[in-house]
Amino acid sequence: MYRKKGQVAIFILIAIVFIFSIVAFFYISNPNIRSESIDAVLITGYISSCLDDSVKNGVLKTGLREADLNKYILNSLESCDLQVFEKEGFDISEEDVVLKTEISNKEVVVKADYSLSIAKNGVSVKVDEFYSSLDLQKTIPITNEEFTVGSEDGVLQLNIPANINALLDDDHISNIHIDMIDSSGDANIFSPIIYNLRPSGSKFFPNLVLNMDYSDSNLPRNFNENNLRILIRENSDSEWKALHTNTDLSKKILTANISHFSDVGIGRTKCL
């Protein structure tokens, strides 16, 4: 009995080796097929990565409003440049993207109906669908109680609500603080200070509420206060961008929502 089992095991091993040899011979004798197939997978993987980034950043910037999120995702996918692959000899044809998004308290699931044909050296691959999901439960709670972080000069107040979360890869944000930088020489900023929210780059879900006091003495003469905006930039080398800002003219307070930490200041609607 044991001898027969041993013989069966040997035959199975020989069969496996034989099959493996045939597969290896096929790939070795057809290097173009192997190469193009692998590159096609790289292309679809690149698009999948673009979709994942678009979903993640879209939730951070637009929240869970399906129409706004889909618009953001579509705009972001347009920036996923496939020319680098076309320069390598791939013929890529694509159709318009149609999104189907499902949003729950636990996750965001996006299905992209995106017909993509990839061809090179007689080898072609066609893909019709891409999927991405963002687990909203994989977040880090910052605090169980609401609190406010303020700048030393009292101009800026950042409200941190109870149970606010940060995405999982930002697990360093417990030490929240505000650095103050002299704004002299920056024509876009009316306030004497640029406020650097730290740790820079930390991302929150949902958005945080930022309040900034302003003074008439810091504004150009006859400036319309309704044109004041809270400005934000990623770093000192980046351009300022105006946030959607509410102005309380009686209390002279500007209010805006932010999704991540970076530099902020008070300026005008359009940056120079």
Side-chain angles (χ1 to χ4, degrees):
M1 178 67 71
Y2 292 110
R3 183 177 179 182
K4 289 184 179 179
K5 288 184 178 180
Q7 291 175 339
V8 171
I10 292 174
F11 287 136
I12 293 175
L13 179 60
I14 293 174
I16 293 174
V17 172
F18 178 72
I19 294 172
F20 178 81
S21 300
I22 294 176
V23 173
F25 174 78
F26 174 79
Y27 277 104
I28 292 173
S29 61
N30 296 274
N32 290 333
I33 293 178
R34 177 180 57 181
S35 176
E36 273 70 71
S37 298
I38 292 174
D39 284 343
V41 172
L42 291 177
I43 296 173
T44 56
Y46 170 73
I47 295 174
S48 295
S49 178
C50 283
L51 180 60
D52 289 341
D53 290 341
S54 299
V55 173
K56 180 179 177 180
N57 292 328
V59 169
L60 286 169
K61 293 181 180 298
T62 68
L64 297 178
R65 298 180 296 274
E66 182 176 343
D68 293 340
L69 178 58
N70 285 346
K71 182 179 179 180
Y72 181 92
I73 293 172
L74 289 174
N75 290 336
S76 296
L77 288 177
E78 290 181 358
S79 64
C80 292
D81 190 4
L82 297 177
Q83 290 185 358
V84 63
F85 298 105
E86 293 175 337
K87 291 179 180 179
E88 294 296 324
F90 284 89
D91 182 14
I92 302 175
S93 60
E94 53 186 326
E95 298 180 4
D96 292 338
V97 181
V98 178
L99 298 179
K100 297 179 181 179
T101 303
E102 297 181 1
I103 300 175
S104 68
N105 293 329
K106 295 182 179 180
E107 64 178 349
V108 175
V109 178
V110 177
K111 174 189 175 186
D113 290 329
Y114 181 25
S115 183
L116 187 72
S117 296
I118 306 168
K120 183 179 179 183
N121 295 337
V123 179
S124 62
V125 176
K126 186 174 182 180
V127 183
D128 295 315
E129 297 175 347
F130 294 86
Y131 290 87
S132 179
S133 63
L134 178 64
D135 190 344
L136 299 179
Q137 294 182 315
K138 287 187 177 180
T139 56
I140 302 171
I142 305 305
T143 177
N144 293 324
E145 298 180 358
E146 181 176 346
F147 68 96
T148 300
V149 178
S151 59
E152 292 182 3
D153 59 2
V155 169
L156 183 150
Q157 300 86 38
L158 181 65
N159 181 50
I160 312 293
N163 300 317
I164 188 71
N165 293 296
L167 290 185
L168 189 61
D169 54 359
D170 290 313
D171 57 357
H172 60 289
I173 62 175
S174 58
N175 183 23
I176 297 175
H177 61 282
I178 303 170
D179 293 337
M180 298 170 56
I181 307 169
D182 188 351
S183 67
S184 299
D186 193 325
N188 289 299
I189 301 298
F190 295 156
S191 55
I193 298 295
I194 295 171
Y195 301 89
N196 179 231
L197 308 180
R198 308 284 293 178
S200 181
S202 297
K203 301 174 183 179
F204 299 91
F205 179 82
N207 293 344
L208 302 179
V209 177
L210 177 68
N211 295 312
M212 298 187 71
D213 300 338
Y214 67 91
S215 172
D216 291 336
S217 61
N218 294 325
L219 304 182
R221 181 177 297 180
N222 299 323
F223 185 83
N224 186 346
E225 296 174 44
N226 288 311
N227 291 328
L228 284 174
R229 295 292 185 272
I230 293 178
L231 306 183
I232 190 168
R233 68 181 182 185
E234 301 307 317
N235 53 61
S236 58
D237 296 324
S238 303
E239 295 182 356
W240 289 104
K241 296 181 180 180
L243 295 174
H244 178 73
T245 305
N246 294 320
T247 305
D248 187 328
L249 297 175
S250 61
K251 296 181 179 180
K252 297 190 179 301
I253 297 177
L254 304 176
T255 302
N257 293 326
I258 60 171
S259 62
H260 63 285
F261 279 175
S262 54
D263 292 347
V264 296
I266 296 175
R268 67 183 82 224
T269 306
K270 294 184 178 179
C271 301
L272 300 177

